[in-house]
Amino acid sequence: MNDKVKKIFHISIVSFFVILFFGGILTELGFIKNPPSWPPNIFMLLGSLIILIFSEKKLFIFLLIAGVVGFIYELIGVKSGLLFGNYHYTDVFNIKLFTIPIVMISAWIIILNFTLSFIENIQKKYFILVGAIIMVVVDLLIDPVAVHGLNIWEWDNSGKYYGIPSHNFLGWFLLSITILIPFQFINYRITLLSRLLSIMVLGFFSIIGFINNIYLASFIGTFTLSLNILLLYKNSVQK
């Protein structure tokens, strides 16, 4: 693929992602009636694909492996209830393997990429702990919106935070540590575009949360996204 064709391809997939981003928001606001079932799948798949495409080779491989490992965690979690609590997926993401949406691979890649952009310049001794905390903070946004706003999955038992069992956040923290460990041993750089893509996906969840009156989760998400953007600005000024 020559440079011109590659550039056209990159512009096309990023443009399509942006269209899906605004299409999802307009659908949630009620401006688009009876939307097809495929956009949620493509939105997440395309987001992770763009992140991978604009990552250096080593980071590409590590992110992809982490996404697959995350999918396996989801499979174990749904089948056993041990990792996150008892839950099951609906048909919002309707392309599944072993009852688990394939786009869960994409979700782990996007969340991990966002987290890595936060901690890429942090001292290694704090890397895993801070990264796992950020992953949990992101989950404080995603879980309530996914359940009460987008109806992506349903909990079979309840908890104090938007009905989400505390077990989920403990499991998420511990599993995030295992996901982050390999990244402590490689040098990586999150590109501007892949960082912005992960910010957009999480921003989408924040917006959907506000639309559905899930205010606390959306404020947590907005605050976290703002910190990431401020950190990006600070790093760009220093350079």
Side-chain angles (χ1 to χ4, degrees), residues 140-196:
L140 290 172
L141 160 67
I142 289 178
D143 261 49
V145 177
V147 173
H148 301 293
L150 299 172
N151 192 35
I152 295 172
W153 65 81
E154 297 175 348
W155 290 102
D156 299 330
N157 48 351
S158 186
K160 294 182 179 180
Y161 182 75
Y162 289 104
I164 302 165
S166 300
H167 181 184
N168 169 70
F169 300 109
L170 176 60
W172 186 260
F173 177 78
L174 295 175
L175 294 176
S176 294
I177 290 175
T178 66
I179 289 284
L180 286 164
I181 287 174
F183 292 89
Q184 190 178 27
F185 301 101
I186 67 169
N187 294 319
Y188 70 88
R189 184 179 67 86
I190 303 297
T191 63
L192 176 60
L193 183 57
S194 67
R195 185 173 191 159
L196 292 177

Side-chain angles (χ1 to χ4, degrees), residues 220-231:
I220 291 173
T222 302
F223 178 74
T224 308
L225 292 169
S226 299
L227 284 181
N228 194 307
I229 293 169
L230 286 173
L231 184 60

Side-chain angles (χ1 to χ4, degrees), residues 43-62:
F43 177 71
M44 295 297 292
L45 288 170
L46 204 56
S48 62
L49 176 62
I50 295 171
I51 287 173
L52 292 174
I53 288 175
F54 286 92
S55 297
E56 58 187 16
K57 184 177 180 180
K58 184 181 293 186
L59 182 59
F60 177 109
I61 294 171
F62 274 67

